Amino acid sequence: MYREMMSGKIHRATVTEANLHYIGSITIDSDLLKAVGMLENEKVHVVNNNNGARLETYIIAGAPGSKTICLNGAAARHVQPGDKVIIMSYKWMEEAEAYKHVPTVAILNDHNDILDILGTEPEATIK
């Protein structure tokens, strides 16, 4: 049996741009992608902490060091610059592997700098 497990998470990223006229996706600073093991064109879930919107899209790698978090195309209708979002990727794995799996979670500050890298999040974590 296979399980779909969270593999990477960018927690409380600040949206820097919403570009309605771009052809779909989310642009993410490639340094942030590396830190959590996400890849360009990978499917991600995006959750907006400000309005509760949830969406699926795919990643476009942004310039390293740019701190870019830009929702593009139709996804831009669900965010405003300054909104806080959570971006999550998932992987399928054998059940035995799933029990040992530890995701990579990057906690960001208001400027999209990484404050901390966690594995499994303890219950009731507030950061």
Side-chain angles (χ1 to χ4, degrees), residues 6 8 15 19 36 41-42 53 61 70 76 87 92 95 100 104 108 114 120 127:
M6 183 182 74
V15 174
N19 188 340
V36 295
N41 296 310
E42 185 171 0
C70 178
I87 305 159
W92 288 98
E95 188 165 11
K100 298 179 272 181
T104 303
L108 305 188
I114 297 173
T120 301
K127 289 216 177 213

Side-chain angles (χ1 to χ4, degrees), residues 9-127:
K9 178 177 174 183
I10 300 172
H11 185 75
R12 292 188 53 81
T14 303
V15 174
T16 58
E17 187 179 349
N19 188 340
L20 181 62
H21 301 291
Y22 188 83
I23 300 171
S25 69
I26 183 171
T27 304
I28 303 172
D29 178 322
S30 60
D31 287 342
L32 292 174
L33 296 177
K34 266 188 222 172
V36 295
M38 292 180 187
L39 300 174
E40 189 163 30
N41 296 310
E42 185 171 0
K43 180 172 96 172
V44 289
H45 287 105
V46 181
V47 179
N48 187 329
N49 284 4
N50 292 73
N51 64 20
R54 300 177 72 91
L55 61 104
E56 286 183 349
T57 191
Y58 63 93
I59 297 168
I60 290 178
S66 66
K67 312 296 184 199
T68 300
I69 302 289
C70 178
L71 277 292
N72 301 301
R77 296 258 187 220
H78 297 284
V79 301
Q80 296 291 316
D83 283 359
K84 296 293 186 183
V85 295
I86 300 169
I87 305 159
M88 296 164 285
S89 63
Y90 300 86
K91 290 183 183 171
W92 288 98
M93 57 189 70
E94 292 278 356
E95 188 165 11
E97 183 184 1
Y99 281 103
K100 298 179 272 181
H101 173 68
V102 178
T104 303
V105 178
I107 309 294
L108 305 188
N109 67 12
D110 290 340
H111 305 288
N112 292 335
D113 297 308
I114 297 173
L115 293 175
D116 201 2
I117 299 281
L118 306 175
T120 301
E121 301 163 271
E123 181 223 349
T125 301
I126 298 175
K127 289 216 177 213

